[in-house]
Amino acid sequence: MSNEQPKPGGTNPWTVLGVLALVVVAVYTVASGGQIKKLGIFGLEVEFEQRQDAPVPVESEAVPTLAPASLMAGSQWLPMDFNGDGVTDAQFWETDSNGDGIIDYRAFDTDFNGRVDQHVYIDPAQPGGAIYGFDPQETGIAESWGWDTDWDRITDTWAWDLNRNGFFDQWAWDRNRDRVIDLYGYDRNEDGQMEEYREQ
């Protein structure tokens, strides 16, 4: 049995490691957009949540498959004046895709080349009552989806499925409604929780 007494003012190396670990986690949490709710030294308790200024993402399963081109058979392009200035801004056609007597799908050609580059599914279950598919390459597959989450007729939330596996992995928001994206969120493991945020 040793009679040695601990040196006064000595620091336990495990405590130092624990504090350093907490500092690293806290710095990463704040840098990635998280908000620290609780820190503990010995139990290494860390809780953080997603940014409060980022809207809750829409579930991937809510995104419909793009309407097949065959729906356009017999349809005729109609003029659309988005801003009411008397000038046609795009041409479109619409259909009742499920045969219930209610128009629930619109296809738009915004560059007047006869090919669809935007899709709108009218669906009361969606934020803003609709989901918008953007296909700028006109491949028939939407590259991104958008929502008007506050019903002001301005798309404010976007999502991408970059690896095309059916789950969203990148999000974007226009928080101040100036029609410019100002926050991106990255859901690397596609679990509905952002691992990283980036201000634009």
Side-chain angles (χ1 to χ4, degrees):
M1 188 182 243
S2 171
N3 290 329
E4 289 183 20
Q5 298 292 326
K7 294 180 181 176
T11 304
N12 184 329
W14 292 110
T15 302
V16 173
L17 285 175
V19 170
L20 286 175
L22 278 177
V23 169
V24 169
V25 171
V27 168
Y28 174 78
T29 298
V30 172
S32 63
Q35 296 180 349
I36 299 171
K37 295 177 73 176
K38 179 168 64 172
L39 286 175
I41 296 178
F42 297 103
L44 292 178
E45 300 175 49
V46 176
E47 292 182 9
F48 66 97
E49 58 188 15
Q50 295 204 17
R51 293 177 64 128
Q52 296 301 306
D53 58 356
V56 176
V58 180
E59 294 295 326
S60 297
E61 301 81 50
V63 178
T65 304
L66 287 181
S70 61
L71 280 180
M72 190 178 176
S75 297
Q76 185 174 4
W77 289 111
L78 301 170
M80 174 69 77
D81 176 9
F82 289 117
N83 54 11
D85 63 358
V87 177
T88 299
D89 300 305
Q91 55 185 1
F92 78 101
W93 56 269
E94 58 188 18
T95 188
D96 169 17
S97 63
N98 58 10
D100 65 357
I102 300 172
I103 298 296
D104 53 20
Y105 174 77
R106 287 192 183 109
F108 288 88
D109 171 20
T110 61
D111 57 8
F112 300 98
N113 67 355
R115 293 194 298 270
V116 177
D117 49 45
Q118 291 186 25
H119 306 260
V120 180
Y121 288 85
I122 301 158
D123 180 358
Q126 294 288 337
I131 178 173
Y132 304 87
F134 300 97
D135 180 14
Q137 303 300 317
E138 300 173 338
T139 62
I141 301 173
E143 296 180 15
S144 66
W145 294 95
W147 295 265
D148 170 15
T149 61
D150 57 4
W151 295 76
D152 66 354
R153 298 187 177 192
I154 298 174
T155 306
D156 52 63
T157 302
W158 292 264
W160 289 264
D161 175 14
L162 298 178
N163 58 10
R164 297 186 183 256
N165 69 347
F167 296 95
F168 295 137
D169 39 45
Q170 182 174 326
W171 291 84
W173 297 275
D174 172 14
R175 295 170 296 172
N176 59 6
R177 305 305 190 261
D178 64 354
R179 299 175 191 254
V180 177
I181 293 172
D182 47 44
L183 179 67
Y184 285 93
Y186 300 89
D187 180 5
R188 307 286 186 201
N189 59 2
E190 300 169 338
D191 65 351
Q193 300 291 314
M194 303 299 149
E195 282 78 50
E196 180 183 357
Y197 287 100
R198 289 185 189 170
E199 302 277 350
Q200 182 65 14

